[in-house]
Coordinates of all heavy atoms in Angstrom, one line a residue:
A1315 N 117.5 -20.7 7.4 CA 117.9 -21.8 6.7 C 118.5 -21.4 5.3 O 119.4 -21.8 4.6 CB 116.9 -22.8 6.5
A1316 N 117.7 -20.4 4.7 CA 118.1 -20.0 3.3 C 119.4 -19.2 3.3 O 120.2 -19.4 2.5 CB 117.0 -19.0 2.7
L1317 N 119.6 -18.5 4.4 CA 120.8 -17.8 4.6 C 122.0 -18.7 4.7 O 123.1 -18.6 4.2 CB 120.8 -16.7 5.7 CG 119.9 -15.5 5.5 CD1 119.8 -14.7 6.8 CD2 120.4 -14.6 4.3
E1318 N 121.9 -19.8 5.5 CA 122.8 -20.8 5.7 C 123.1 -21.5 4.4 O 124.2 -21.8 4.1 CB 122.3 -21.8 6.8 CG 122.2 -21.2 8.3 CD 123.6 -20.9 8.8 OE1 124.6 -21.6 8.4 OE2 123.7 -19.9 9.5
A1319 N 122.1 -21.7 3.6 CA 122.3 -22.3 2.3 C 123.2 -21.5 1.4 O 124.0 -22.0 0.6 CB 120.9 -22.5 1.6
I1320 N 123.0 -20.3 1.5 CA 123.8 -19.2 0.7 C 125.3 -19.4 1.2 O 126.2 -19.3 0.3 CB 123.3 -17.8 0.9 CG1 122.0 -17.7 0.1 CG2 124.3 -16.8 0.3 CD1 121.3 -16.4 0.3
K1321 N 125.5 -19.6 2.5 CA 126.9 -19.7 2.9 C 127.6 -20.9 2.4 O 128.7 -20.9 2.2 CB 126.8 -19.8 4.5 CG 126.6 -18.5 5.1 CD 126.5 -18.7 6.6 CE 125.9 -17.5 7.3 NZ 125.9 -17.7 8.8
G1322 N 126.7 -21.9 2.2 CA 127.3 -23.2 1.6 C 127.9 -24.1 2.6 O 128.6 -25.1 2.1
E1323 N 127.7 -23.9 3.8 CA 128.4 -24.8 4.8 C 127.7 -26.1 5.0 O 128.3 -27.0 5.4 CB 128.5 -24.0 6.1 CG 129.5 -22.7 6.1 CD 129.4 -21.8 7.3 OE1 128.7 -22.3 8.3 OE2 130.1 -20.9 7.4
K1324 N 126.4 -26.0 4.8 CA 125.6 -27.3 4.9 C 124.8 -27.4 3.6 O 124.5 -26.5 2.9 CB 124.6 -27.2 6.1 CG 125.4 -27.1 7.4 CD 124.4 -27.1 8.6 CE 125.1 -27.0 9.9 NZ 124.2 -26.8 11.0
S1325 N 124.5 -28.7 3.2 CA 123.7 -29.0 2.1 C 122.2 -28.5 2.3 O 121.8 -28.5 3.5 CB 123.8 -30.5 1.7 OG 123.1 -31.3 2.5
L1326 N 121.5 -28.6 1.2 CA 120.1 -28.2 1.3 C 119.3 -29.3 2.1 O 118.5 -29.0 2.9 CB 119.5 -28.0 0.0 CG 119.8 -26.7 -0.8 CD1 119.1 -26.8 -2.2 CD2 119.5 -25.5 -0.1
V1327 N 119.8 -30.5 1.9 CA 119.1 -31.7 2.6 C 119.4 -31.6 4.1 O 118.5 -31.7 4.9 CB 119.7 -33.0 1.9 CG1 119.1 -34.1 2.8 CG2 119.2 -33.1 0.5
E1328 N 120.5 -31.2 4.5 CA 120.8 -31.1 6.0 C 120.0 -30.0 6.5 O 119.4 -30.0 7.5 CB 122.4 -30.7 6.1 CG 123.2 -31.9 5.8 CD 124.8 -31.5 5.9 OE1 125.0 -30.5 5.4 OE2 125.4 -32.2 6.6
L1329 N 120.0 -28.8 5.9 CA 119.2 -27.7 6.4 C 117.7 -27.9 6.4 O 117.0 -27.5 7.3 CB 119.5 -26.4 5.4 CG 121.0 -25.8 5.5 CD1 121.2 -24.9 4.4 CD2 121.2 -25.3 6.9
A1330 N 117.2 -28.7 5.4 CA 115.8 -29.1 5.3 C 115.5 -29.9 6.6 O 114.4 -29.7 7.2 CB 115.4 -29.8 4.1
R1331 N 116.4 -30.8 6.9 CA 116.2 -31.7 8.1 C 116.1 -30.9 9.4 O 115.2 -31.1 10.2 CB 117.2 -32.8 8.2 CG 117.0 -33.8 7.3 CD 118.0 -35.0 7.5 NE 118.2 -35.8 6.3 CZ 119.3 -36.3 5.9 NH1 120.4 -35.9 6.4 NH2 119.2 -37.1 4.8
I1332 N 117.1 -30.0 9.5 CA 117.2 -29.2 10.7 C 115.9 -28.2 10.8 O 115.3 -28.1 11.9 CB 118.4 -28.1 10.6 CG1 119.7 -29.1 10.8 CG2 118.4 -27.2 11.8 CD1 121.0 -28.4 10.4
S1333 N 115.4 -27.7 9.7 CA 114.3 -26.7 9.6 C 113.0 -27.4 9.5 O 111.9 -26.8 9.6 CB 114.4 -25.7 8.5 OG 115.7 -25.0 8.6
N1334 N 113.1 -28.8 9.3 CA 111.8 -29.5 9.1 C 110.9 -29.0 7.9 O 109.7 -28.9 8.1 CB 111.0 -29.6 10.4 CG 110.1 -30.7 10.4 OD1 110.3 -31.8 9.8 ND2 109.0 -30.6 11.1
V1335 N 111.6 -28.7 6.9 CA 110.9 -28.3 5.6 C 111.4 -29.1 4.4 O 112.5 -29.7 4.5 CB 111.1 -26.8 5.3 CG1 110.4 -26.0 6.4 CG2 112.5 -26.4 5.1
H1336 N 110.9 -29.1 3.3 CA 111.3 -29.6 2.0 C 112.6 -29.0 1.5 O 112.6 -27.7 1.5 CB 110.3 -29.7 1.0 CG 110.6 -30.7 0.0 ND1 111.3 -30.3 -1.2 CD2 110.2 -32.0 -0.3 CE1 111.4 -31.5 -2.0 NE2 110.7 -32.4 -1.5
P1337 N 113.6 -29.6 1.0 CA 114.7 -28.9 0.4 C 114.4 -28.0 -0.7 O 115.1 -26.8 -0.8 CB 115.6 -30.0 -0.2 CG 115.2 -31.2 0.5 CD 113.8 -31.1 1.0
N1338 N 113.3 -28.2 -1.5 CA 112.9 -27.2 -2.5 C 112.6 -25.9 -1.9 O 112.7 -24.8 -2.5 CB 111.8 -27.8 -3.4 CG 112.4 -29.0 -4.3 OD1 113.5 -29.1 -4.4 ND2 111.3 -29.6 -4.8
T1339 N 111.9 -25.9 -0.8 CA 111.5 -24.7 -0.1 C 112.7 -23.9 0.2 O 112.7 -22.6 0.0 CB 110.7 -25.0 1.2 OG1 109.7 -25.8 0.8 CG2 110.2 -23.7 1.8
I1340 N 113.8 -24.4 0.7 CA 114.9 -23.6 1.1 C 115.6 -23.2 -0.2 O 116.1 -22.0 -0.3 CB 115.9 -24.5 1.9 CG1 115.2 -24.8 3.2 CG2 117.2 -23.7 2.1 CD1 116.1 -25.8 4.1
G1341 N 115.6 -24.0 -1.2 CA 116.2 -23.6 -2.5 C 115.5 -22.4 -3.1 O 116.1 -21.5 -3.7
K1342 N 114.1 -22.4 -3.0 CA 113.4 -21.3 -3.6 C 113.7 -19.9 -2.9 O 113.7 -18.9 -3.4 CB 111.9 -21.6 -3.5 CG 111.4 -22.5 -4.6 CD 110.0 -22.8 -4.5 CE 109.6 -23.9 -5.4 NZ 108.2 -24.3 -5.3
L1343 N 113.8 -20.1 -1.4 CA 114.0 -18.9 -0.6 C 115.5 -18.5 -1.0 O 115.7 -17.2 -0.9 CB 113.9 -19.3 0.8 CG 112.5 -19.3 1.4 CD1 112.4 -19.9 2.8 CD2 111.8 -18.0 1.3
R1344 N 116.5 -19.3 -1.1 CA 117.8 -18.9 -1.4 C 117.9 -18.1 -2.6 O 118.7 -17.3 -2.7 CB 118.6 -20.2 -1.5 CG 120.1 -19.9 -1.7 CD 121.0 -21.2 -1.8 NE 120.6 -22.0 -3.0 CZ 121.2 -23.1 -3.2 NH1 122.1 -23.6 -2.5 NH2 120.8 -23.8 -4.3
A1345 N 117.0 -18.4 -3.6 CA 117.1 -17.8 -4.8 C 116.2 -16.5 -4.9 O 116.5 -15.7 -5.9 CB 116.5 -18.7 -6.0
S1346 N 115.6 -16.2 -3.9 CA 114.7 -14.9 -3.9 C 115.8 -13.7 -3.7 O 116.8 -13.8 -3.0 CB 113.7 -15.0 -2.7 OG 114.3 -14.5 -1.5
P1347 N 115.4 -12.7 -4.5 CA 116.2 -11.4 -4.4 C 116.3 -10.8 -2.9 O 117.4 -10.4 -2.5 CB 115.5 -10.5 -5.3 CG 114.5 -11.3 -6.1 CD 114.2 -12.5 -5.3
V1348 N 115.4 -11.0 -2.1 CA 115.4 -10.5 -0.8 C 116.4 -11.2 0.1 O 117.2 -10.6 0.8 CB 114.0 -10.5 0.0 CG1 114.0 -10.2 1.3 CG2 113.0 -9.5 -0.8
T1349 N 116.4 -12.6 0.0 CA 117.3 -13.3 0.8 C 118.8 -13.1 0.2 O 119.7 -12.9 1.1 CB 117.0 -14.9 0.5 OG1 115.7 -15.1 0.9 CG2 118.0 -15.7 1.4
K1350 N 119.0 -12.9 -1.1 CA 120.3 -12.6 -1.5 C 120.8 -11.2 -1.0 O 122.0 -11.0 -0.6 CB 120.4 -12.5 -3.1 CG 120.2 -14.0 -3.7 CD 120.3 -14.0 -5.2 CE 120.2 -15.4 -5.6 NZ 120.2 -15.5 -7.1
W1351 N 119.9 -10.2 -1.0 CA 120.2 -8.9 -0.5 C 120.5 -9.0 1.0 O 121.6 -8.4 1.3 CB 119.0 -8.0 -0.8 CG 119.1 -6.7 -0.1 CD1 119.8 -5.5 -0.5 CD2 118.6 -6.2 1.2 NE1 119.7 -4.5 0.3 CE2 118.9 -4.9 1.4 CE3 118.0 -6.9 2.2 CZ2 118.7 -4.3 2.5 CZ3 117.7 -6.2 3.3 CH2 117.9 -4.9 3.5
K1352 N 119.8 -9.6 1.7 CA 120.1 -9.8 3.1 C 121.4 -10.5 3.4 O 122.2 -10.1 4.2 CB 118.9 -10.5 3.8 CG 119.1 -10.5 5.3 CD 117.8 -11.1 6.0 CE 117.9 -11.2 7.5 NZ 116.8 -11.8 8.2
A1353 N 121.7 -11.5 2.6 CA 123.0 -12.2 2.7 C 124.1 -11.4 2.5 O 125.2 -11.4 3.2 CB 123.0 -13.5 2.0
E1354 N 124.0 -10.5 1.4 CA 125.1 -9.6 1.0 C 125.3 -8.6 2.1 O 126.4 -8.3 2.5 CB 124.7 -9.1 -0.3 CG 125.9 -8.1 -0.8 CD 125.6 -7.5 -2.2 OE1 124.8 -8.2 -2.9 OE2 126.1 -6.6 -2.5
L1355 N 124.2 -8.1 2.6 CA 124.2 -7.0 3.6 C 124.9 -7.5 4.9 O 125.8 -7.0 5.5 CB 122.9 -6.6 4.1 CG 122.7 -5.5 5.1 CD1 123.5 -4.2 4.7 CD2 121.4 -5.2 5.4
M1356 N 124.6 -8.8 5.3 CA 125.2 -9.4 6.5 C 126.7 -9.7 6.2 O 127.5 -9.6 7.2 CB 124.4 -10.8 6.8 CG 123.1 -10.4 7.4 SD 122.1 -12.0 7.7 CE 123.0 -12.7 9.0
G1357 N 127.0 -10.1 5.0 CA 128.4 -10.2 4.6 C 129.2 -9.1 4.8 O 130.3 -9.1 5.3
H1358 N 128.6 -8.0 4.4 CA 129.4 -6.6 4.6 C 129.5 -6.2 6.0 O 130.5 -5.7 6.4 CB 128.7 -5.6 3.8 CG 128.9 -5.7 2.2 ND1 130.1 -5.6 1.6 CD2 127.9 -6.1 1.2 CE1 129.9 -5.8 0.3 NE2 128.6 -6.1 0.1
A1359 N 128.5 -6.6 6.8 CA 128.5 -6.0 8.1 C 129.6 -6.9 8.9 O 130.3 -6.3 9.8 CB 127.2 -6.2 8.8
R1360 N 129.8 -8.2 8.5 CA 130.8 -8.9 9.2 C 132.3 -8.5 8.9 O 133.2 -8.6 9.7 CB 130.6 -10.4 8.8 CG 129.5 -11.1 9.5 CD 129.5 -12.6 9.1 NE 128.2 -13.1 9.4 CZ 127.5 -13.8 8.6 NH1 127.9 -14.0 7.4 NH2 126.2 -14.2 8.8
R1361 N 132.4 -8.0 7.6 CA 133.7 -7.5 7.3 C 134.1 -6.1 7.9 O 135.3 -5.8 8.0 CB 133.8 -7.4 5.7 CG 133.8 -8.8 5.1 CD 134.0 -8.6 3.6 NE 133.0 -9.5 3.0 CZ 132.2 -9.3 2.1 NH1 132.3 -8.1 1.4 NH2 131.2 -10.1 1.6
A1362 N 133.1 -5.4 8.3 CA 133.3 -4.0 8.8 C 133.8 -4.0 10.3 O 133.7 -4.9 10.9 CB 132.1 -3.3 8.7

C-alpha cells in the first residue's frame, strides 16, 4: 500500500480502505527511507 501511495495512482484514503488500515499508517510508511529505496529500485527494474 505504501508503494502504491508513492506511485500516486490512488489516494491514501483509497489505499487505507483497501488495506484496512488508517491513512496515517500508509503515509508514515510512504515516508520511510526503506520504502522510498524499494520504490526507486522497482522503478529502475521496470525501465530496464
Side-chain angles (χ1 to χ4, degrees):
L1317 292 172
E1318 291 293 326
I1320 290 171
K1321 291 179 188 176
E1323 295 172 0
K1324 296 181 182 175
S1325 71
L1326 288 180
V1327 174
E1328 290 174 311
L1329 293 170
R1331 283 187 197 134
I1332 293 168
S1333 302
N1334 200 30
V1335 296
H1336 194 277
N1338 289 348
T1339 304
I1340 296 174
K1342 288 177 185 177
L1343 283 173
R1344 179 179 66 177
S1346 83
V1348 172
T1349 304
K1350 289 181 180 180
W1351 172 83
K1352 187 174 180 180
E1354 186 175 331
L1355 179 65
M1356 290 175 67
H1358 287 295
R1360 285 188 198 122
R1361 287 184 229 134

